[in-house]
Amino acid sequence: MKTILTGIRSNSVLTLGNYLGALLPMVRLANKHSADYNINIFVPDLHSIISDIDGDLRENIVRTIKYYLAAGLEANDNVHIYRQSYVPAHSELCWILNCIATMGETSRMIQYKEKSKGQESCNVGIFDYPILMAADILLYDATYVPIGEDQFQHIELTRNLAMRFNHKFGEIFTVPAKTADQIKFMGVSDGIRIRDLLNPEKKMSKSTKAENSKILLDDDPAKAAKKIMSATTDSLAKVKFDMFNQPGVSNLLQIRALVSGTPLQEVISEWVGETRYGTLKRAVADGVAQMLKEFQDRMANISDEQVYDLLEKGEKYANEVANAKLLEAQKAFHLR
Ligand code: TYM
């Protein structure tokens, strides 16, 4: 059985960008395929500690898993939920992969360049981040890794490391699907990147300081609607999907499509040519407020015990699978 695998860090409350760009599409994909794929959903807590954590990491992890359940994830026997640091094989394979990865290819990662920019000294974890991510994926022979557009470069690096390893030692790792095939499998026409509401050239990010630039999943729905109403658009006064010239308006169309579960193309046809941005904003704001309200109600009904039960089961499975794969990699290097 092939494997679909994904993860979201839990440094703080998630943004609408993480939710619409990664979590919700993942849940829809998982529900669609969980009869014939392994679905691995994990919390990369070791990736979390490369940067500051808002609140308590352990509580954030439980909340992140509740997000998946509140988003509608149907947990069955093929769905495995676990914490990265509870499966030590991730760190061990990361070290082995460090020894076949090059400084050159790792230094080229955009996320590393962005995260280290302007920092006097950058921690080594930020640099090594994509190699640990490769270990997360390769340990489970994952074919599909649904993620947002900002992470595609890391998938390409993972593919290169897997191919290099296999070339040297024989077919040990499954090479994940190419970016284009990942996108096709996710059922989106392109990668999804929800933009910052005030500076739509940038992605919506947890770490942006300005309150009105991002919507958080625990925002009061009315407050979230106001943020949409004050989103930056442009002066062209004509709705068109054009991320390059009209990123603000295009972002609103994208959000509208994802919130309502309607294909983007349909939403574009419905709104193209509209001259009053206020009308589009109102529709998006109402949709987001309604979605948040329903989501928050569901969150309130999920208990911590439910989460810990799933983790116990998931971590037992993950350790079995990951340790078997790690052993193959260790044998390749004559460590075993
Ligand atoms: P993280 O937590 O930084 O991001 C989680 C996911 O959210 C997506 N994302 C967005 N999508 C659309 N619009 C946005 N504004 C936006 N902001 C974030 C990211 O693309 C990502 O899919 N490195 C991963 C975590 C990870 C992982 C893995 C994922 C570690 N190991 C192995 C898959 C497989 C990350 O970026 O987390």
Side-chain angles (χ1 to χ4, degrees):
M1 200 149 69
K2 287 187 180 172
T3 297
I4 307 175
L5 177 146
T6 199
I8 287 191
R9 290 183 300 148
S10 19
N11 291 51
S12 58
V13 174
L14 289 192
T15 66
L16 191 70
N18 298 121
Y19 184 70
L20 296 180
L23 202 142
L24 190 59
M26 176 59 200
V27 166
R28 287 177 179 154
L29 212 60
N31 289 346
K32 184 167 156 198
H33 292 292
S34 66
D36 25 59
Y37 282 82
N38 280 310
I39 311 286
N40 288 20
I41 293 182
F42 78 106
V43 180
D45 49 357
L46 296 171
H47 280 109
S48 288
I49 61 171
I50 61 150
S51 51
D52 294 341
I53 313 274
D54 282 350
D56 179 80
L57 181 57
R58 287 161 304 182
E59 284 170 17
N60 291 354
I61 290 171
V62 172
R63 188 180 51 218
T64 302
I65 293 163
K66 287 185 183 177
Y67 284 149
Y68 282 104
L69 302 176
L73 179 70
E74 294 157 14
N76 69 24
D77 284 348
N78 291 340
V79 177
H80 314 290
I81 301 177
Y82 52 95
R83 291 163 286 190
Q84 184 184 40
S85 75
Y86 281 71
V87 188
H90 289 238
S91 311
E92 298 204 24
L93 183 63
C94 173
W95 183 261
I96 291 177
L97 295 177
N98 275 335
C99 300
I100 65 157
T102 67
M103 292 293 289
E105 65 190 343
T106 315
S107 315
R108 279 196 294 278
M109 294 296 112
I110 295 164
Q111 184 173 303
Y112 160 65
K113 288 190 197 161
E114 282 178 356
K115 282 203 176 4
S116 59
K117 202 162 56 189
Q119 286 197 24
E120 225 167 77
S121 72
C122 150
N123 73 57
V124 177
I126 293 180
F127 181 71
D128 209 25
Y129 183 109
I131 312 289
L132 178 59
M133 186 164 162
D136 299 336
I137 298 167
L138 298 180
L139 277 175
Y140 301 90
D141 286 315
T143 302
Y144 295 110
V145 186
I147 39 170
E149 187 197 52
D150 60 317
Q151 298 294 310
F152 290 163
Q153 204 187 15
H154 295 164
I155 301 297
E156 286 305 316
L157 177 69
T158 303
R159 284 172 46 79
N160 289 337
L161 293 177
M163 287 188 278
R164 194 173 309 153
F165 201 101
N166 289 350
H167 181 70
K168 216 165 159 189
F169 299 110
E171 294 300 307
I172 291 183
F173 296 123
T174 296
V175 180
K178 292 194 184 95
T179 305
D181 295 332
Q182 301 276 357
I183 293 173
K184 214 183 285 165
F185 186 74
M186 284 190 270
V188 288
S189 54
D190 218 334
I192 298 172
R193 169 183 285 221
I194 302 299
R195 309 297 179 113
D196 182 298
L197 295 176
L198 298 180
N199 296 302
E201 292 78 24
K202 299 194 315 187
K203 76 164 186 176
M204 183 183 287
S205 165
K206 295 172 238 189
S207 51
T208 310
K209 292 273 175 301
E211 271 287 306
N212 283 351
S213 68
K214 59 189 175 191
I215 290 177
L216 300 175
L217 289 182
D218 66 355
D219 271 355
D220 169 62
K223 184 169 136 198
K226 276 203 188 119
K227 291 183 184 179
I228 298 276
M229 294 309 290
S230 64
T232 303
T233 47
D234 53 62
S235 53
L236 298 171
K238 206 160 211 175
V239 171
K240 188 176 170 202
F241 189 81
D242 177 351
M243 273 296 181
F244 190 70
N245 295 307
Q246 297 186 252
V249 170
S250 306
N251 193 35
L252 292 174
L253 291 170
Q254 177 76 271
I255 294 175
R256 172 89 184 145
L258 289 164
V259 165
S260 60
T262 315
L264 178 62
Q265 223 35 59
E266 254 176 59
V267 173
I268 296 172
S269 321
E270 188 189 334
W271 288 93
V272 76
E274 169 67 56
T275 53
R276 289 157 306 173
Y277 289 162
T279 318
L280 172 64
K281 281 184 175 177
R282 187 74 268 160
V284 177
D286 289 348
V288 167
Q290 168 90 12
M291 184 213 85
L292 278 182
K293 191 189 169 314
E294 290 167 9
F295 180 80
Q296 290 166 2
D297 287 347
R298 287 195 298 274
M299 281 293 284
N301 282 319
I302 304 166
S303 69
D304 289 6
E305 287 66 39
Q306 230 174 308
V307 172
Y308 284 117
D309 282 351
L310 289 170
L311 286 174
E312 196 182 326
K313 196 168 117 290
E315 282 156 11
K316 185 169 176 293
Y317 165 88
N319 272 296
E320 276 168 22
V321 175
N323 286 339
K325 186 54 75 175
L326 175 66
L327 183 60
E328 288 185 55
Q330 288 169 324
K331 282 183 176 164
F333 271 101
H334 291 224
L335 289 162
R336 294 289 182 275

